[in-house]
Amino acid sequence: MSFTIQNALIPVDSGYETADVQVVENCISAIAPKLKPAGTVIHGKNKLLLPGFVNTHTHSSEMWQRGIIPPLPLELWIAELYDFTPLDPEQVYLSALGTAVETLLSGGTSVVDHLVLIPGQELETIAAAVRAYQEIGIRAFIGPLIQDESLTAGMPAGDSGMEHAAYIRSTKATLELMETAIKQFQHPEKGVNMLLAPTGIQLCSDALFEGCIELSDRYNLCRHAHLLETPAQKQLAHEKYGCSAVEHLQKIGYLSPRTSLAHCVWLDDSDIAIMAESGATVVHNPLSNLRLGSGIAPILKYRQAGVNVSFGCDGAASNDSQDLLEAIKIGSILHNITDLDYRQWITPRQSVEMASLGGSQGLNLADEMGSLTVGKKADFVLYDLTSLSLLPRTDPIGLLILGRPTNAVDSVWVNGKQIVAEGKVKTIDVDALMRELFDRSEWTSKRQSQTVSEIEAHYRQVMKLQGYS
């Protein structure tokens, strides 16, 4: 497959230049003005060409609950989420398609899906997401969300001596399931990559983490997890380990350049130093952190320490959207209120690099994607600079990152294949998808979570909130 994009606007160190981009056999073969056309010619005049962004952390199946979970902190929010989690692989398929569409139309060419598994149908769940991502053509990194401790173990015990029920699946069985999934679904040549992705220290034993380390090393796969998303998790880590969660993960060997960690809100300076030394990536999820009251991650400190940072939408029930451009904007300017030194604030160009190359680095693929570089994969996006939301003509990247672009994505290519053309997804019937999502859901505003009712008093007590009932 060969094609040439002519006269596209491309960022360079000194500003922008108009150039042609040639793609041969799914990789960028040349970038220069007035190239001799090769293959299909695509007109890039008045369009901005950027590398594809990576939605570096989401949970696709949460789409079925977006807009309905009330304002709750993570530990109670997740209880309600689990009480109403879809139990149908076809719903998983549809929500993965929806997640991919929204990611593509907001500049993303890759998605990391920390996939919630249906109990008893774990492989069917993964197969449903794989089918969706392969049909639409987005580059997918699927990390089945695994744990070996029950939900109540995710909260600090305090002085209660709270006992926890056994989890539905043993650690050994979970690791065996992951190895089966790797053998069945790891097909990077088809755009699907598997990750080892324990939920986090709050719901996982050391044995599960260590088993994931062994599998990731044996099969050369990346690792993923949540890390210190909330104050409760920071308190829990000291109860479990007598040290910080970052120190503990370092001791057991989970941190590495092939490790990405979502949220990282409650790290102190010594934790940040460990992260920088390990080469692990922080995935910044600013919208869900605000939605759940988790806090503001010290992203400027991470960057100053040399920690790689990327952006994620997080699941569509803790963000209620999969608009990657929105997450990048909020994740960039939010920190202008956390650090008075404006010279450290994130510029729009730095945001683009974090969202593209930073995301690729967290997946151990910075040599293959994440920038407009000859030899890298043709994962890139054309933005229509005549779109009203990108006018008048000032700085194209500034307009894209600091504005509120609507209908700005003109075309998207993943691995050299055009997935979006003239703002429309070509590979699936999006109208049919919207009808399915509409027909399989219903308007509702109130529901009662039994689990939240059972654990809220304990949560309020250990977090020292006024009134325990």
mmCIF file with all atom_site columns, all heavy atoms in Angstrom, residues 58-66 81 85-86 91-92 95-96 99 113-117 125 133 315-317:
data_model
loop_
_atom_site.group_PDB
_atom_site.id
_atom_site.type_symbol
_atom_site.label_atom_id
_atom_site.label_alt_id
_atom_site.label_comp_id
_atom_site.label_asym_id
_atom_site.label_entity_id
_atom_site.label_seq_id
_atom_site.pdbx_PDB_ins_code
_atom_site.Cartn_x
_atom_site.Cartn_y
_atom_site.Cartn_z
_atom_site.occupancy
_atom_site.B_iso_or_equiv
_atom_site.pdbx_formal_charge
_atom_site.auth_seq_id
_atom_site.auth_comp_id
_atom_site.auth_asym_id
_atom_site.auth_atom_id
_atom_site.pdbx_PDB_model_num
ATOM 1   N N   . THR A 1 58  ? -7.885  3.422   29.372 1.00 0.00 ? 58  THR A N   1
ATOM 2   C CA  . THR A 1 58  ? -9.339  3.502   29.437 1.00 0.00 ? 58  THR A CA  1
ATOM 3   C C   . THR A 1 58  ? -9.893  2.132   29.814 1.00 0.00 ? 58  THR A C   1
ATOM 4   O O   . THR A 1 58  ? -9.150  1.150   29.911 1.00 0.00 ? 58  THR A O   1
ATOM 5   C CB  . THR A 1 58  ? -9.944  4.008   28.108 1.00 0.00 ? 58  THR A CB  1
ATOM 6   O OG1 . THR A 1 58  ? -11.327 4.302   28.321 1.00 0.00 ? 58  THR A OG1 1
ATOM 7   C CG2 . THR A 1 58  ? -9.807  2.981   26.997 1.00 0.00 ? 58  THR A CG2 1
ATOM 8   N N   . HIS A 1 59  ? -11.189 2.092   30.048 1.00 0.00 ? 59  HIS A N   1
ATOM 9   C CA  . HIS A 1 59  ? -11.915 0.845   30.299 1.00 0.00 ? 59  HIS A CA  1
ATOM 10  C C   . HIS A 1 59  ? -13.152 0.901   29.392 1.00 0.00 ? 59  HIS A C   1
ATOM 11  O O   . HIS A 1 59  ? -14.136 1.561   29.723 1.00 0.00 ? 59  HIS A O   1
ATOM 12  C CB  . HIS A 1 59  ? -12.352 0.733   31.759 1.00 0.00 ? 59  HIS A CB  1
ATOM 13  C CG  . HIS A 1 59  ? -11.255 0.946   32.765 1.00 0.00 ? 59  HIS A CG  1
ATOM 14  N ND1 . HIS A 1 59  ? -10.360 -0.049  33.111 1.00 0.00 ? 59  HIS A ND1 1
ATOM 15  C CD2 . HIS A 1 59  ? -10.912 2.032   33.493 1.00 0.00 ? 59  HIS A CD2 1
ATOM 16  C CE1 . HIS A 1 59  ? -9.515  0.431   34.014 1.00 0.00 ? 59  HIS A CE1 1
ATOM 17  N NE2 . HIS A 1 59  ? -9.831  1.692   34.262 1.00 0.00 ? 59  HIS A NE2 1
ATOM 18  N N   . SER A 1 60  ? -13.102 0.217   28.263 1.00 0.00 ? 60  SER A N   1
ATOM 19  C CA  . SER A 1 60  ? -14.125 0.441   27.236 1.00 0.00 ? 60  SER A CA  1
ATOM 20  C C   . SER A 1 60  ? -15.535 0.090   27.706 1.00 0.00 ? 60  SER A C   1
ATOM 21  O O   . SER A 1 60  ? -16.499 0.773   27.351 1.00 0.00 ? 60  SER A O   1
ATOM 22  C CB  . SER A 1 60  ? -13.780 -0.347  25.973 1.00 0.00 ? 60  SER A CB  1
ATOM 23  O OG  . SER A 1 60  ? -13.771 -1.745  26.219 1.00 0.00 ? 60  SER A OG  1
ATOM 24  N N   . SER A 1 61  ? -15.689 -0.960  28.498 1.00 0.00 ? 61  SER A N   1
ATOM 25  C CA  . SER A 1 61  ? -17.041 -1.411  28.849 1.00 0.00 ? 61  SER A CA  1
ATOM 26  C C   . SER A 1 61  ? -17.766 -0.444  29.777 1.00 0.00 ? 61  SER A C   1
ATOM 27  O O   . SER A 1 61  ? -18.974 -0.553  29.964 1.00 0.00 ? 61  SER A O   1
ATOM 28  C CB  . SER A 1 61  ? -17.003 -2.804  29.476 1.00 0.00 ? 61  SER A CB  1
ATOM 29  O OG  . SER A 1 61  ? -16.284 -2.794  30.694 1.00 0.00 ? 61  SER A OG  1
ATOM 30  N N   . GLU A 1 62  ? -17.044 0.520   30.345 1.00 0.00 ? 62  GLU A N   1
ATOM 31  C CA  . GLU A 1 62  ? -17.708 1.510   31.191 1.00 0.00 ? 62  GLU A CA  1
ATOM 32  C C   . GLU A 1 62  ? -18.654 2.414   30.405 1.00 0.00 ? 62  GLU A C   1
ATOM 33  O O   . GLU A 1 62  ? -19.449 3.146   30.991 1.00 0.00 ? 62  GLU A O   1
ATOM 34  C CB  . GLU A 1 62  ? -16.672 2.370   31.919 1.00 0.00 ? 62  GLU A CB  1
ATOM 35  C CG  . GLU A 1 62  ? -15.977 1.660   33.057 1.00 0.00 ? 62  GLU A CG  1
ATOM 36  C CD  . GLU A 1 62  ? -15.029 2.577   33.808 1.00 0.00 ? 62  GLU A CD  1
ATOM 37  O OE1 . GLU A 1 62  ? -15.141 3.805   33.646 1.00 0.00 ? 62  GLU A OE1 1
ATOM 38  O OE2 . GLU A 1 62  ? -14.179 2.061   34.555 1.00 0.00 ? 62  GLU A OE2 1
ATOM 39  N N   . MET A 1 63  ? -18.574 2.358   29.078 1.00 0.00 ? 63  MET A N   1
ATOM 40  C CA  . MET A 1 63  ? -19.450 3.200   28.264 1.00 0.00 ? 63  MET A CA  1
ATOM 41  C C   . MET A 1 63  ? -20.916 3.031   28.641 1.00 0.00 ? 63  MET A C   1
ATOM 42  O O   . MET A 1 63  ? -21.704 3.980   28.586 1.00 0.00 ? 63  MET A O   1
ATOM 43  C CB  . MET A 1 63  ? -19.248 2.881   26.781 1.00 0.00 ? 63  MET A CB  1
ATOM 44  C CG  . MET A 1 63  ? -20.180 3.641   25.853 1.00 0.00 ? 63  MET A CG  1
ATOM 45  S SD  . MET A 1 63  ? -19.767 3.418   24.110 1.00 0.00 ? 63  MET A SD  1
ATOM 46  C CE  . MET A 1 63  ? -18.360 4.511   23.977 1.00 0.00 ? 63  MET A CE  1
ATOM 47  N N   . TRP A 1 64  ? -21.308 1.828   29.053 1.00 0.00 ? 64  TRP A N   1
ATOM 48  C CA  . TRP A 1 64  ? -22.715 1.553   29.372 1.00 0.00 ? 64  TRP A CA  1
ATOM 49  C C   . TRP A 1 64  ? -23.187 2.281   30.619 1.00 0.00 ? 64  TRP A C   1
ATOM 50  O O   . TRP A 1 64  ? -24.400 2.325   30.884 1.00 0.00 ? 64  TRP A O   1
ATOM 51  C CB  . TRP A 1 64  ? -22.934 0.050   29.518 1.00 0.00 ? 64  TRP A CB  1
ATOM 52  C CG  . TRP A 1 64  ? -22.718 -0.663  28.226 1.00 0.00 ? 64  TRP A CG  1
ATOM 53  C CD1 . TRP A 1 64  ? -21.596 -1.332  27.829 1.00 0.00 ? 64  TRP A CD1 1
ATOM 54  C CD2 . TRP A 1 64  ? -23.635 -0.730  27.130 1.00 0.00 ? 64  TRP A CD2 1
ATOM 55  N NE1 . TRP A 1 64  ? -21.759 -1.810  26.556 1.00 0.00 ? 64  TRP A NE1 1
ATOM 56  C CE2 . TRP A 1 64  ? -23.007 -1.463  26.103 1.00 0.00 ? 64  TRP A CE2 1
ATOM 57  C CE3 . TRP A 1 64  ? -24.926 -0.241  26.915 1.00 0.00 ? 64  TRP A CE3 1
ATOM 58  C CZ2 . TRP A 1 64  ? -23.620 -1.721  24.875 1.00 0.00 ? 64  TRP A CZ2 1
ATOM 59  C CZ3 . TRP A 1 64  ? -25.544 -0.494  25.701 1.00 0.00 ? 64  TRP A CZ3 1
ATOM 60  C CH2 . TRP A 1 64  ? -24.889 -1.228  24.702 1.00 0.00 ? 64  TRP A CH2 1
ATOM 61  N N   . GLN A 1 65  ? -22.267 2.842   31.400 1.00 0.00 ? 65  GLN A N   1
ATOM 62  C CA  . GLN A 1 65  ? -22.674 3.520   32.631 1.00 0.00 ? 65  GLN A CA  1
ATOM 63  C C   . GLN A 1 65  ? -22.282 4.988   32.652 1.00 0.00 ? 65  GLN A C   1
ATOM 64  O O   . GLN A 1 65  ? -22.321 5.624   33.711 1.00 0.00 ? 65  GLN A O   1
ATOM 65  C CB  . GLN A 1 65  ? -22.060 2.807   33.837 1.00 0.00 ? 65  GLN A CB  1
ATOM 66  C CG  . GLN A 1 65  ? -22.544 1.373   33.988 1.00 0.00 ? 65  GLN A CG  1
ATOM 67  C CD  . GLN A 1 65  ? -22.146 0.793   35.324 1.00 0.00 ? 65  GLN A CD  1
ATOM 68  O OE1 . GLN A 1 65  ? -22.555 1.276   36.364 1.00 0.00 ? 65  GLN A OE1 1
ATOM 69  N NE2 . GLN A 1 65  ? -21.328 -0.239  35.298 1.00 0.00 ? 65  GLN A NE2 1
ATOM 70  N N   . ARG A 1 66  ? -21.963 5.539   31.501 1.00 0.00 ? 66  ARG A N   1
ATOM 71  C CA  . ARG A 1 66  ? -21.536 6.932   31.557 1.00 0.00 ? 66  ARG A CA  1
ATOM 72  C C   . ARG A 1 66  ? -22.738 7.850   31.793 1.00 0.00 ? 66  ARG A C   1
ATOM 73  O O   . ARG A 1 66  ? -23.835 7.621   31.299 1.00 0.00 ? 66  ARG A O   1
ATOM 74  C CB  . ARG A 1 66  ? -20.749 7.333   30.317 1.00 0.00 ? 66  ARG A CB  1
ATOM 75  C CG  . ARG A 1 66  ? -21.424 7.295   28.989 1.00 0.00 ? 66  ARG A CG  1
ATOM 76  C CD  . ARG A 1 66  ? -20.388 7.735   27.951 1.00 0.00 ? 66  ARG A CD  1
ATOM 77  N NE  . ARG A 1 66  ? -20.890 7.721   26.602 1.00 0.00 ? 66  ARG A NE  1
ATOM 78  C CZ  . ARG A 1 66  ? -20.130 8.004   25.546 1.00 0.00 ? 66  ARG A CZ  1
ATOM 79  N NH1 . ARG A 1 66  ? -18.851 8.306   25.715 1.00 0.00 ? 66  ARG A NH1 1
ATOM 80  N NH2 . ARG A 1 66  ? -20.637 7.977   24.338 1.00 0.00 ? 66  ARG A NH2 1
ATOM 81  N N   . LEU A 1 81  ? -20.150 0.824   40.137 1.00 0.00 ? 81  LEU A N   1
ATOM 82  C CA  . LEU A 1 81  ? -19.809 0.366   38.790 1.00 0.00 ? 81  LEU A CA  1
ATOM 83  C C   . LEU A 1 81  ? -19.921 -1.156  38.693 1.00 0.00 ? 81  LEU A C   1
ATOM 84  O O   . LEU A 1 81  ? -20.524 -1.696  37.763 1.00 0.00 ? 81  LEU A O   1
ATOM 85  C CB  . LEU A 1 81  ? -18.393 0.811   38.437 1.00 0.00 ? 81  LEU A CB  1
ATOM 86  C CG  . LEU A 1 81  ? -17.910 0.407   37.043 1.00 0.00 ? 81  LEU A CG  1
ATOM 87  C CD1 . LEU A 1 81  ? -18.402 1.401   36.004 1.00 0.00 ? 81  LEU A CD1 1
ATOM 88  C CD2 . LEU A 1 81  ? -16.384 0.317   36.992 1.00 0.00 ? 81  LEU A CD2 1
ATOM 89  N N   . THR A 1 85  ? -22.152 -3.750  36.185 1.00 0.00 ? 85  THR A N   1
ATOM 90  C CA  . THR A 1 85  ? -21.270 -4.032  35.054 1.00 0.00 ? 85  THR A CA  1
ATOM 91  C C   . THR A 1 85  ? -21.975 -4.921  34.034 1.00 0.00 ? 85  THR A C   1
ATOM 92  O O   . THR A 1 85  ? -22.641 -5.894  34.412 1.00 0.00 ? 85  THR A O   1
ATOM 93  C CB  . THR A 1 85  ? -19.986 -4.730  35.546 1.00 0.00 ? 85  THR A CB  1
ATOM 94  O OG1 . THR A 1 85  ? -19.229 -3.801  36.336 1.00 0.00 ? 85  THR A OG1 1
ATOM 95  C CG2 . THR A 1 85  ? -19.127 -5.194  34.386 1.00 0.00 ? 85  THR A CG2 1
ATOM 96  N N   . PRO A 1 86  ? -21.846 -4.621  32.728 1.00 0.00 ? 86  PRO A N   1
ATOM 97  C CA  . PRO A 1 86  ? -22.466 -5.472  31.698 1.00 0.00 ? 86  PRO A CA  1
ATOM 98  C C   . PRO A 1 86  ? -21.973 -6.915  31.789 1.00 0.00 ? 86  PRO A C   1
ATOM 99  O O   . PRO A 1 86  ? -20.790 -7.167  32.033 1.00 0.00 ? 86  PRO A O   1
ATOM 100 C CB  . PRO A 1 86  ? -21.995 -4.824  30.387 1.00 0.00 ? 86  PRO A CB  1
ATOM 101 C CG  . PRO A 1 86  ? -21.657 -3.432  30.749 1.00 0.00 ? 86  PRO A CG  1
ATOM 102 C CD  . PRO A 1 86  ? -21.148 -3.471  32.153 1.00 0.00 ? 86  PRO A CD  1
ATOM 103 N N   . GLN A 1 91  ? -22.251 -6.605  24.481 1.00 0.00 ? 91  GLN A N   1
ATOM 104 C CA  . GLN A 1 91  ? -22.144 -5.230  24.979 1.00 0.00 ? 91  GLN A CA  1
ATOM 105 C C   . GLN A 1 91  ? -20.682 -4.781  25.023 1.00 0.00 ? 91  GLN A C   1
ATOM 106 O O   . GLN A 1 91  ? -20.375 -3.621  24.730 1.00 0.00 ? 91  GLN A O   1
ATOM 107 C CB  . GLN A 1 91  ? -22.762 -5.116  26.370 1.00 0.00 ? 91  GLN A CB  1
ATOM 108 C CG  . GLN A 1 91  ? -24.278 -5.201  26.396 1.00 0.00 ? 91  GLN A CG  1
ATOM 109 C CD  . GLN A 1 91  ? -24.808 -5.064  27.818 1.00 0.00 ? 91  GLN A CD  1
ATOM 110 O OE1 . GLN A 1 91  ? -24.732 -6.011  28.602 1.00 0.00 ? 91  GLN A OE1 1
ATOM 111 N NE2 . GLN A 1 91  ? -25.321 -3.899  28.153 1.00 0.00 ? 91  GLN A NE2 1
ATOM 112 N N   . VAL A 1 92  ? -19.798 -5.703  25.400 1.00 0.00 ? 92  VAL A N   1
ATOM 113 C CA  . VAL A 1 92  ? -18.365 -5.389  25.407 1.00 0.00 ? 92  VAL A CA  1
ATOM 114 C C   . VAL A 1 92  ? -17.897 -5.046  23.996 1.00 0.00 ? 92  VAL A C   1
ATOM 115 O O   . VAL A 1 92  ? -17.145 -4.088  23.778 1.00 0.00 ? 92  VAL A O   1
ATOM 116 C CB  . VAL A 1 92  ? -17.563 -6.572  25.982 1.00 0.00 ? 92  VAL A CB  1
ATOM 117 C CG1 . VAL A 1 92  ? -16.059 -6.339  25.824 1.00 0.00 ? 92  VAL A CG1 1
ATOM 118 C CG2 . VAL A 1 92  ? -17.915 -6.790  27.450 1.00 0.00 ? 92  VAL A CG2 1
ATOM 119 N N   . SER A 1 95  ? -19.304 -1.512  23.041 1.00 0.00 ? 95  SER A N   1
ATOM 120 C CA  . SER A 1 95  ? -18.662 -0.405  23.751 1.00 0.00 ? 95  SER A CA  1
ATOM 121 C C   . SER A 1 95  ? -17.200 -0.247  23.329 1.00 0.00 ? 95  SER A C   1
ATOM 122 O O   . SER A 1 95  ? -16.678 0.876   23.326 1.00 0.00 ? 95  SER A O   1
ATOM 123 C CB  . SER A 1 95  ? -18.787 -0.572  25.266 1.00 0.00 ? 95  SER A CB  1
ATOM 124 O OG  . SER A 1 95  ? -18.312 -1.828  25.692 1.00 0.00 ? 95  SER A OG  1
ATOM 125 N N   . ALA A 1 96  ? -16.536 -1.339  22.955 1.00 0.00 ? 96  ALA A N   1
ATOM 126 C CA  . ALA A 1 96  ? -15.177 -1.212  22.417 1.00 0.00 ? 96  ALA A CA  1
ATOM 127 C C   . ALA A 1 96  ? -15.205 -0.474  21.082 1.00 0.00 ? 96  ALA A C   1
ATOM 128 O O   . ALA A 1 96  ? -14.343 0.375   20.814 1.00 0.00 ? 96  ALA A O   1
ATOM 129 C CB  . ALA A 1 96  ? -14.538 -2.592  22.262 1.00 0.00 ? 96  ALA A CB  1
ATOM 130 N N   . THR A 1 99  ? -15.743 3.207   21.936 1.00 0.00 ? 99  THR A N   1
ATOM 131 C CA  . THR A 1 99  ? -14.504 3.780   22.458 1.00 0.00 ? 99  THR A CA  1
ATOM 132 C C   . THR A 1 99  ? -13.531 4.075   21.325 1.00 0.00 ? 99  THR A C   1
ATOM 133 O O   . THR A 1 99  ? -12.896 5.139   21.282 1.00 0.00 ? 99  THR A O   1
ATOM 134 C CB  . THR A 1 99  ? -13.869 2.816   23.472 1.00 0.00 ? 99  THR A CB  1
ATOM 135 O OG1 . THR A 1 99  ? -14.737 2.695   24.601 1.00 0.00 ? 99  THR A OG1 1
ATOM 136 C CG2 . THR A 1 99  ? -12.505 3.302   23.930 1.00 0.00 ? 99  THR A CG2 1
ATOM 137 N N   . ASP A 1 113 ? -6.755  -0.523  26.482 1.00 0.00 ? 113 ASP A N   1
ATOM 138 C CA  . ASP A 1 113 ? -8.019  -0.890  27.120 1.00 0.00 ? 113 ASP A CA  1
ATOM 139 C C   . ASP A 1 113 ? -7.745  -1.800  28.311 1.00 0.00 ? 113 ASP A C   1
ATOM 140 O O   . ASP A 1 113 ? -7.413  -2.973  28.156 1.00 0.00 ? 113 ASP A O   1
ATOM 141 C CB  . ASP A 1 113 ? -8.916  -1.602  26.100 1.00 0.00 ? 113 ASP A CB  1
ATOM 142 C CG  . ASP A 1 113 ? -10.353 -1.764  26.596 1.00 0.00 ? 113 ASP A CG  1
ATOM 143 O OD1 . ASP A 1 113 ? -10.602 -1.487  27.787 1.00 0.00 ? 113 ASP A OD1 1
ATOM 144 O OD2 . ASP A 1 113 ? -11.218 -2.170  25.792 1.00 0.00 ? 113 ASP A OD2 1
ATOM 145 N N   . HIS A 1 114 ? -7.870  -1.227  29.519 1.00 0.00 ? 114 HIS A N   1
ATOM 146 C CA  . HIS A 1 114 ? -7.759  -2.013  30.759 1.00 0.00 ? 114 HIS A CA  1
ATOM 147 C C   . HIS A 1 114 ? -9.117  -2.679  30.943 1.00 0.00 ? 114 HIS A C   1
ATOM 148 O O   . HIS A 1 114 ? -9.996  -2.168  31.641 1.00 0.00 ? 114 HIS A O   1
ATOM 149 C CB  . HIS A 1 114 ? -7.412  -1.065  31.911 1.00 0.00 ? 114 HIS A CB  1
ATOM 150 C CG  . HIS A 1 114 ? -6.682  -1.713  33.037 1.00 0.00 ? 114 HIS A CG  1
ATOM 151 N ND1 . HIS A 1 114 ? -6.243  -1.002  34.134 1.00 0.00 ? 114 HIS A ND1 1
ATOM 152 C CD2 . HIS A 1 114 ? -6.293  -2.987  33.266 1.00 0.00 ? 114 HIS A CD2 1
ATOM 153 C CE1 . HIS A 1 114 ? -5.626  -1.794  34.984 1.00 0.00 ? 114 HIS A CE1 1
ATOM 154 N NE2 . HIS A 1 114 ? -5.658  -3.014  34.482 1.00 0.00 ? 114 HIS A NE2 1
ATOM 155 N N   . LEU A 1 115 ? -9.277  -3.814  30.333 1.00 0.00 ? 115 LEU A N   1
ATOM 156 C CA  . LEU A 1 115 ? -10.580 -4.401  30.040 1.00 0.00 ? 115 LEU A CA  1
ATOM 157 C C   . LEU A 1 115 ? -11.167 -5.159  31.231 1.00 0.00 ? 115 LEU A C   1
ATOM 158 O O   . LEU A 1 115 ? -10.578 -6.131  31.715 1.00 0.00 ? 115 LEU A O   1
ATOM 159 C CB  . LEU A 1 115 ? -10.441 -5.347  28.842 1.00 0.00 ? 115 LEU A CB  1
ATOM 160 C CG  . LEU A 1 115 ? -11.717 -5.968  28.296 1.00 0.00 ? 115 LEU A CG  1
ATOM 161 C CD1 . LEU A 1 115 ? -12.627 -4.912  27.685 1.00 0.00 ? 115 LEU A CD1 1
ATOM 162 C CD2 . LEU A 1 115 ? -11.384 -7.039  27.257 1.00 0.00 ? 115 LEU A CD2 1
ATOM 163 N N   . VAL A 1 116 ? -12.345 -4.716  31.674 1.00 0.00 ? 116 VAL A N   1
ATOM 164 C CA  . VAL A 1 116 ? -13.057 -5.409  32.746 1.00 0.00 ? 116 VAL A CA  1
ATOM 165 C C   . VAL A 1 116 ? -13.605 -6.728  32.208 1.00 0.00 ? 116 VAL A C   1
ATOM 166 O O   . VAL A 1 116 ? -14.253 -6.774  31.154 1.00 0.00 ? 116 VAL A O   1
ATOM 167 C CB  . VAL A 1 116 ? -14.200 -4.537  33.295 1.00 0.00 ? 116 VAL A CB  1
ATOM 168 C CG1 . VAL A 1 116 ? -14.966 -5.272  34.387 1.00 0.00 ? 116 VAL A CG1 1
ATOM 169 C CG2 . VAL A 1 116 ? -13.653 -3.209  33.821 1.00 0.00 ? 116 VAL A CG2 1
ATOM 170 N N   . LEU A 1 117 ? -13.347 -7.828  32.912 1.00 0.00 ? 117 LEU A N   1
ATOM 171 C CA  . LEU A 1 117 ? -13.721 -9.160  32.444 1.00 0.00 ? 117 LEU A CA  1
ATOM 172 C C   . LEU A 1 117 ? -15.042 -9.614  33.052 1.00 0.00 ? 117 LEU A C   1
ATOM 173 O O   . LEU A 1 117 ? -15.305 -9.394  34.235 1.00 0.00 ? 117 LEU A O   1
ATOM 174 C CB  . LEU A 1 117 ? -12.632 -10.169 32.797 1.00 0.00 ? 117 LEU A CB  1
ATOM 175 C CG  . LEU A 1 117 ? -11.232 -9.865  32.228 1.00 0.00 ? 117 LEU A CG  1
ATOM 176 C CD1 . LEU A 1 117 ? -10.228 -10.900 32.729 1.00 0.00 ? 117 LEU A CD1 1
ATOM 177 C CD2 . LEU A 1 117 ? -11.261 -9.826  30.708 1.00 0.00 ? 117 LEU A CD2 1
ATOM 178 N N   . THR A 1 125 ? -14.949 -12.304 26.776 1.00 0.00 ? 125 THR A N   1
ATOM 179 C CA  . THR A 1 125 ? -14.872 -10.843 26.921 1.00 0.00 ? 125 THR A CA  1
ATOM 180 C C   . THR A 1 125 ? -13.724 -10.287 26.083 1.00 0.00 ? 125 THR A C   1
ATOM 181 O O   . THR A 1 125 ? -13.885 -9.318  25.328 1.00 0.00 ? 125 THR A O   1
ATOM 182 C CB  . THR A 1 125 ? -14.662 -10.448 28.391 1.00 0.00 ? 125 THR A CB  1
ATOM 183 O OG1 . THR A 1 125 ? -15.663 -11.049 29.199 1.00 0.00 ? 125 THR A OG1 1
ATOM 184 C CG2 . THR A 1 125 ? -14.713 -8.937  28.560 1.00 0.00 ? 125 THR A CG2 1
ATOM 185 N N   . TYR A 1 133 ? -11.916 -4.109  17.852 1.00 0.00 ? 133 TYR A N   1
ATOM 186 C CA  . TYR A 1 133 ? -10.761 -3.299  17.482 1.00 0.00 ? 133 TYR A CA  1
ATOM 187 C C   . TYR A 1 133 ? -10.192 -3.707  16.122 1.00 0.00 ? 133 TYR A C   1
ATOM 188 O O   . TYR A 1 133 ? -9.739  -2.848  15.347 1.00 0.00 ? 133 TYR A O   1
ATOM 189 C CB  . TYR A 1 133 ? -9.693  -3.386  18.575 1.00 0.00 ? 133 TYR A CB  1
ATOM 190 C CG  . TYR A 1 133 ? -10.113 -2.712  19.866 1.00 0.00 ? 133 TYR A CG  1
ATOM 191 C CD1 . TYR A 1 133 ? -9.889  -3.317  21.109 1.00 0.00 ? 133 TYR A CD1 1
ATOM 192 C CD2 . TYR A 1 133 ? -10.743 -1.473  19.854 1.00 0.00 ? 133 TYR A CD2 1
ATOM 193 C CE1 . TYR A 1 133 ? -10.278 -2.704  22.294 1.00 0.00 ? 133 TYR A CE1 1
ATOM 194 C CE2 . TYR A 1 133 ? -11.140 -0.849  21.026 1.00 0.00 ? 133 TYR A CE2 1
ATOM 195 C CZ  . TYR A 1 133 ? -10.897 -1.469  22.252 1.00 0.00 ? 133 TYR A CZ  1
ATOM 196 O OH  . TYR A 1 133 ? -11.295 -0.846  23.404 1.00 0.00 ? 133 TYR A OH  1
ATOM 197 N N   . GLY A 1 315 ? -11.902 5.417   31.871 1.00 0.00 ? 315 GLY A N   1
ATOM 198 C CA  . GLY A 1 315 ? -13.156 4.842   31.418 1.00 0.00 ? 315 GLY A CA  1
ATOM 199 C C   . GLY A 1 315 ? -14.265 5.867   31.286 1.00 0.00 ? 315 GLY A C   1
ATOM 200 O O   . GLY A 1 315 ? -14.259 6.909   31.936 1.00 0.00 ? 315 GLY A O   1
ATOM 201 N N   . ALA A 1 316 ? -15.229 5.525   30.440 1.00 0.00 ? 316 ALA A N   1
ATOM 202 C CA  . ALA A 1 316 ? -16.296 6.477   30.122 1.00 0.00 ? 316 ALA A CA  1
ATOM 203 C C   . ALA A 1 316 ? -17.367 6.565   31.197 1.00 0.00 ? 316 ALA A C   1
ATOM 204 O O   . ALA A 1 316 ? -18.408 7.179   30.966 1.00 0.00 ? 316 ALA A O   1
ATOM 205 C CB  . ALA A 1 316 ? -16.938 6.107   28.783 1.00 0.00 ? 316 ALA A CB  1
ATOM 206 N N   . ALA A 1 317 ? -17.131 6.001   32.376 1.00 0.00 ? 317 ALA A N   1
ATOM 207 C CA  . ALA A 1 317 ? -18.035 6.247   33.502 1.00 0.00 ? 317 ALA A CA  1
ATOM 208 C C   . ALA A 1 317 ? -17.333 7.037   34.601 1.00 0.00 ? 317 ALA A C   1
ATOM 209 O O   . ALA A 1 317 ? -17.964 7.417   35.578 1.00 0.00 ? 317 ALA A O   1
ATOM 210 C CB  . ALA A 1 317 ? -18.566 4.930   34.069 1.00 0.00 ? 317 ALA A CB  1
#
